[in-house]
Amino acid sequence: MVFYRNFFNFFVIFYFRMENSIGFCFDLDGTLINTTEIGDKIEKEIYKKFNLKIDDKTEREIEELTYEILQRENRNNLGLKLMWEIFKKLDLNFFQRIKALLISSKIFKEELKKIKLFDGVKEVFRFLDEKGIPYSIATTSSQKEVDDRLSKFPDLYAKLQEKIITRTNVQHLKPDPESIIKASKIMKLPLNRVIMVGDMHHDIMMGKKAGTLTIAVLTGIFSKAEILKYEPDFIIDSVAKIPKILPEIIHKLSFN
Ligand SMILES: [Mg+2]
C-alpha cells in the first residue's frame, strides 16, 4: 500500500513538474482562426461567376494541384500563385484569370472582416493560463496581417503580445525551424519541451526538424489522410481537444 501511495505521489509530483516545464507553439491561420475557409468561399463565387461546372475529376486535380503548390518552399505570394494555377486548370483565359484574381482579392478582403476564432480557442488559452503553461505563435503571415486579424479579438491579442513570431521576424520560413527556435526562447524552454500545433505539413515538419512534439489539427486545409503522411505525434479535430489530451502529451514528452 505504502509503495503504491509513494508511487502515486511521485507520479503526481512528476506530472505537475512536467506541466510547469512545457510550452505550446501554435500556428495561426487554420489553427486558431478560420482564415483558411475563405478559400472555399472564393471557389464558390468564381465557379458561379464564370459558370463553371466542375466534375469530380477536375475537383480532384485541383485538390492535388493545391497540395503540390502548398508544398513548395518559396511562399511569397503563394496564395496568388495558387489561385492563378487553379484558374488555369479551370481553363480560364488570361483576361478571365486577371478578372478572377480581382474578384478573389475583393472576396478575401470582405471575408477577412468576418473571421472567427475556432470554437474552444478562448477556453484553451484560459486553461493554459490557469495551469501556468506558456505559449507562443509561429506564423508565416506578416506582422501587419497578424495585427489586422488578431486585433478583432482584443482579449486574446493582449495575451499574445510579445509572443508572436511572424514572417517579418525571421529569415527562413516554415518548415525551417527558425521560428520555433525563436518561440522556444520566448517561452524559455528547451525544444524538447515544446509542442508545435498546426494545420499544415510545414508546421509538423518544422516541429520535427526542431525536435518538438507535434500536434496536427484538422480545422485547416489538410485532411486527416494528407497530414498523416507527415507523422505528427497527435492528430486532433481542433485545438479545443488539447486540455483533454494533456496527460497523453505529458506522458509522450516524458519519454522524449
Ligand atoms: Mg496554418
Side-chain angles (χ1 to χ4, degrees):
M1 204 49 194
V2 174
F3 169 77
Y4 285 111
R5 200 184 308 137
N6 282 342
F7 180 75
F8 180 74
N9 284 344
F10 172 76
F11 179 76
V12 168
I13 291 165
F14 175 73
Y15 185 88
F16 284 103
R17 283 237 173 104
M18 277 296 282
E19 257 189 9
N20 289 332
S21 63
I22 65 167
F24 286 85
C25 178
F26 294 94
D27 164 58
L28 185 60
D29 300 287
T31 299
L32 302 180
I33 51 178
N34 69 341
T35 26
T36 42
E37 289 169 19
I38 298 175
D40 296 338
K41 297 214 165 121
I42 291 177
E43 189 182 300
K44 264 187 211 145
E45 276 307 304
I46 296 292
Y47 287 6
K48 210 167 82 187
K49 187 86 191 171
F50 293 94
N51 201 17
L52 299 164
K53 298 270 182 287
I54 307 299
D55 55 22
D56 285 354
K57 187 172 163 277
T58 317
E59 183 82 48
R60 250 197 329 272
E61 279 171 8
I62 289 174
E63 262 174 41
E64 278 162 22
L65 182 69
T66 306
Y67 185 65
E68 192 253 310
I69 291 174
L70 285 176
Q71 290 200 76
R72 290 181 194 165
E73 300 287 317
N74 175 8
R75 285 181 297 156
N76 284 337
N77 297 318
L78 196 64
L80 281 180
K81 283 177 196 161
L82 175 63
M83 281 193 275
W84 187 257
E85 292 299 321
I86 292 176
F87 299 151
K88 245 190 214 175
K89 176 70 87 191
L90 292 170
D91 276 339
L92 298 183
N93 68 35
F94 183 81
F95 296 103
Q96 287 173 318
R97 271 182 257 155
I98 296 282
K99 194 170 177 197
L101 270 191
L102 291 173
I103 295 169
S104 306
S105 111
K106 190 166 168 249
I107 298 171
F108 189 78
K109 278 185 195 141
E110 282 303 308
E111 290 300 318
L112 213 47
K113 291 178 198 156
K114 298 186 247 168
I115 54 160
K116 284 192 217 134
L117 294 172
F118 288 117
D119 286 345
V121 166
K122 282 182 191 159
E123 289 77 2
V124 167
F125 281 94
R126 202 176 303 140
F127 173 84
L128 295 176
D129 282 339
E130 278 165 15
K131 297 266 183 198
I133 298 176
Y135 45 78
S136 55
I137 305 282
T139 173
T140 17
S141 293
S142 68
Q143 190 65 50
K144 188 183 177 307
E145 285 166 340
V146 170
D147 291 338
D148 285 351
R149 287 164 204 187
L150 285 183
S151 57
K152 295 187 178 72
F153 317 105
D155 291 351
L156 180 63
Y157 195 29
K159 283 181 201 236
L160 293 172
Q161 286 305 315
E162 315 287 316
K163 295 177 187 164
I164 307 176
I165 308 293
T166 68
R167 107 170 145 234
T168 320
N169 309 122
V170 293
Q171 306 219 302
H172 306 283
L173 298 178
K174 297 175 193 176
D176 186 282
E178 188 181 347
S179 37
I180 197 158
I181 290 171
K182 288 204 163 156
S184 76
K185 284 186 182 147
I186 289 177
M187 297 190 285
K188 298 189 174 65
L189 286 169
L191 285 155
N192 65 356
R193 287 288 171 268
V194 173
I195 304 112
M196 177 65 211
V197 187
D199 67 306
M200 275 180 55
H201 59 313
H202 281 140
D203 302 310
I204 306 305
M205 286 159 74
M206 173 175 74
K208 286 190 176 271
K209 277 186 191 180
T212 75
L213 206 73
T214 52
I215 300 181
V217 291
L218 300 176
T219 37
I221 299 171
F222 278 36
S223 68
K224 194 171 182 175
E226 282 163 349
I227 203 73
L228 205 53
K229 291 176 202 159
Y230 298 89
E231 302 179 342
D233 294 290
F234 296 91
I235 300 180
I236 52 179
D237 294 337
S238 75
V239 290
K241 290 270 165 69
I242 287 176
K244 203 178 153 208
I245 64 160
L246 188 64
E248 282 173 73
I249 293 171
I250 288 174
H251 180 79
K252 195 141 192 177
L253 272 179
S254 62
F255 291 103
N256 255 9

